[in-house]
Structures are given as C-alpha cells and as structure tokens.
Amino acid sequence: MLKKMLMVAALTMVGASAYAVDTSQVEKSIELKDGSTVYIFKDGKMGMEDKYGRATYMESGHVMETKDGKKIIMNGNEIWRVDELLHKNHRG
C-alpha cells in the first residue's frame, strides 16, 4: 500500500512539473485598447488576459488593436499558459 501511495505521489509531481510555465518563456506582453493584455511567448504563440486579470479565450486569427492603435493578429490560444502565469504563486 505504501509503495502505491509513493508511486502516485511521484507521478503527480512529474506531471505537475511538465505543465509549469516559466515566466522567462514570455517574450513580451502588449496592452490592448480594451484593457486586456496579450502575452507573446518565445515560440510565437500568444495567450490573453482580460481586463479583470483572468486568462481568457481569443480565437486564433482574430485582429486586436493595441493601446497605441496598432493592429496585431492572434496566433494560437495559449490560455493554459496564461492561466499558469497568473496563478503561479497561488497553487501548491
């Protein structure tokens, strides 16, 4: 029984570390006109945070306007990566 519990704990730790997002993977963040923020990761994929600080869905290919009036196109939808960034200090 103890061996089974240790195995489950070990597998859980390995699985959790595979999903951890390192903040160094964020190349830059861009504020949008509506108050939301787009994170661009080093692999070129993007994720979005709404104006309330929540990771939010944005369809790939959607055109967004930055705070300074430029247009950018959403590439990917890395909502899980943004969620991990926003909650990195809140999960055990």
Side-chain angles (χ1 to χ4, degrees), residues 10-85:
L11 289 173
T12 303
M13 290 173 56
V14 170
S17 66
Y19 291 106
V21 174
D22 186 7
T23 55
S24 68
Q25 293 300 313
V26 176
E27 189 171 307
K28 63 180 169 180
S29 59
I30 300 171
E31 254 189 90
L32 299 180
K33 199 171 204 172
D34 67 357
S36 56
T37 304
V38 172
Y39 294 94
I40 302 174
F41 297 95
K42 289 186 178 180
D43 62 2
K45 300 289 184 181
M46 300 173 166
M48 189 169 170
E49 172 187 356
D50 68 11
K51 63 183 176 182
Y52 302 110
R54 302 174 295 205
T56 188
Y57 176 81
M58 176 59 69
E59 196 171 313
S60 186
H62 184 81
V63 178
M64 301 168 286
E65 188 173 355
T66 63
K67 207 170 192 175
D68 60 0
K70 296 178 184 175
K71 305 279 186 187
I72 58 173
I73 299 173
M74 186 70 164
N75 179 27
N77 184 25
E78 302 295 306
I79 192 169
W80 66 272
R81 288 168 90 176
V82 174
D83 189 59
E84 287 294 321
L85 284 172

Side-chain angles (χ1 to χ4, degrees), residues 1-10:
M1 183 69 165
L2 181 60
K3 283 185 180 181
K4 287 181 183 178
M5 289 176 27
L6 290 174
M7 181 64 96
V8 169

